[in-house]
Amino acid sequence: MARDLWITGDPETDALLSSDPFALLVGMLLDQQYPMEHAFAGPRKIRDRLGSIDPHAVADADPDAFVTLATTPPAIHRYGRSMAARVQALARAVVDDYDGDVTQIWTRPGADGAPTGAEVLARLRALPGFGEQKAKIFLALLGKQRGVEPAGWREAAGSYGDDGSRRSIADVTSAESLTEVRAFKKEQKAAAKAAKA
């Protein structure tokens, strides 16, 4: 059962992320080197400025105009220019590979019928801008908060799929849990820095 998302703390933005799977996917794309709640606010900025967050509209938008839209303050990301190209590449992949329906990533039949968690992870990993970690986090977000639970999804998502964890955006359901995830990420960075020293 999908729950209403609490990601940005802004009711209208969170409603868009809850109701539009492509908006949620774009937010995940933008979630790097930028505060989580600002990254996930990007899709609403795109929708408000372009008039749509539909993958066809995003993919077919004039690239220069889309860069302007993405970099106009408040920009969709700290690196608005490069992220504009990534968002359009993601939209193009969804249009070309999934008929513009992002939910096909997790609903299109796999090798033996319903796709497994590993198959959904592989599809996510194949998207522009999605590496292993980002794909695992998004799979965990689908499983934990969107009711998308293909067989073996927790295993495929690795530690991000752990019940009760506070590792990523998949675990953010309130301002308090956002603070907890931030604290975990800060600890991880500090540990990684200490290991290099």
Side-chain angles (χ1 to χ4, degrees), residues 151-185:
W153 73 268
R154 284 190 190 273
E155 294 77 7
S159 56
Y160 296 108
D162 292 350
D163 205 18
S165 67
R166 288 290 183 264
R167 295 180 167 273
S168 72
I169 196 69
D171 304 310
V172 174
T173 56
S174 64
E176 181 183 58
S177 56
L178 176 63
T179 301
E180 291 169 0
V181 168
R182 275 231 170 83
F184 174 81
K185 288 186 167 197

Side-chain angles (χ1 to χ4, degrees), residues 38-106:
H38 296 307
F40 279 88
R44 181 177 168 205
K45 292 172 188 170
I46 293 169
R47 184 204 65 187
D48 290 352
R49 295 168 187 179
L50 185 64
S52 174
I53 189 68
D54 179 79
H56 292 93
V58 173
D60 294 340
D62 174 77
D64 292 335
F66 197 78
V67 165
T68 300
L69 167 158
T71 55
T72 298
I76 65 166
H77 194 276
R78 176 182 296 137
Y79 305 110
R81 181 172 292 280
S82 61
M83 283 301 183
R86 285 191 188 182
V87 169
Q88 285 200 285
L90 178 65
R92 177 55 55 205
V94 169
V95 169
D96 292 349
D97 300 337
Y98 298 102
D99 304 318
D101 178 5
V102 75
T103 65
Q104 285 191 27
I105 294 170
W106 52 90

Side-chain angles (χ1 to χ4, degrees), residues 2-146:
R3 64 170 77 190
D4 287 340
L5 295 170
W6 191 106
I7 291 180
T8 68
D10 175 75
E12 189 177 338
T13 302
D14 286 340
L16 174 65
L17 297 170
S18 298
S19 64
D20 190 312
F22 182 66
L24 190 62
L25 189 71
V26 170
M28 187 74 243
L29 174 74
L30 296 173
D31 185 19
Q32 64 184 62
Q33 299 179 295
Y34 202 47
M36 289 178 278
E37 67 275 26
H38 296 307
F40 279 88
R44 181 177 168 205
K45 292 172 188 170
I46 293 169
R47 184 204 65 187
D48 290 352
R49 295 168 187 179
L50 185 64
S52 174
I53 189 68
D54 179 79
H56 292 93
V58 173
D60 294 340
D62 174 77
D64 292 335
F66 197 78
V67 165
T68 300
L69 167 158
T71 55
T72 298
I76 65 166
H77 194 276
R78 176 182 296 137
Y79 305 110
R81 181 172 292 280
S82 61
M83 283 301 183
R86 285 191 188 182
V87 169
Q88 285 200 285
L90 178 65
R92 177 55 55 205
V94 169
V95 169
D96 292 349
D97 300 337
Y98 298 102
D99 304 318
D101 178 5
V102 75
T103 65
Q104 285 191 27
I105 294 170
W106 52 90
T107 60
R108 182 183 283 173
D112 298 311
T116 64
E119 286 173 319
V120 175
L121 179 66
R123 292 171 185 178
L124 289 168
R125 226 179 16 232
L127 294 171
F130 275 70
E132 182 81 13
Q133 185 173 325
K134 194 178 286 288
K136 285 182 174 182
I137 292 170
F138 194 75
L139 179 59
L141 177 59
L142 291 173
K144 289 180 173 184
Q145 298 200 47
R146 306 314 299 144

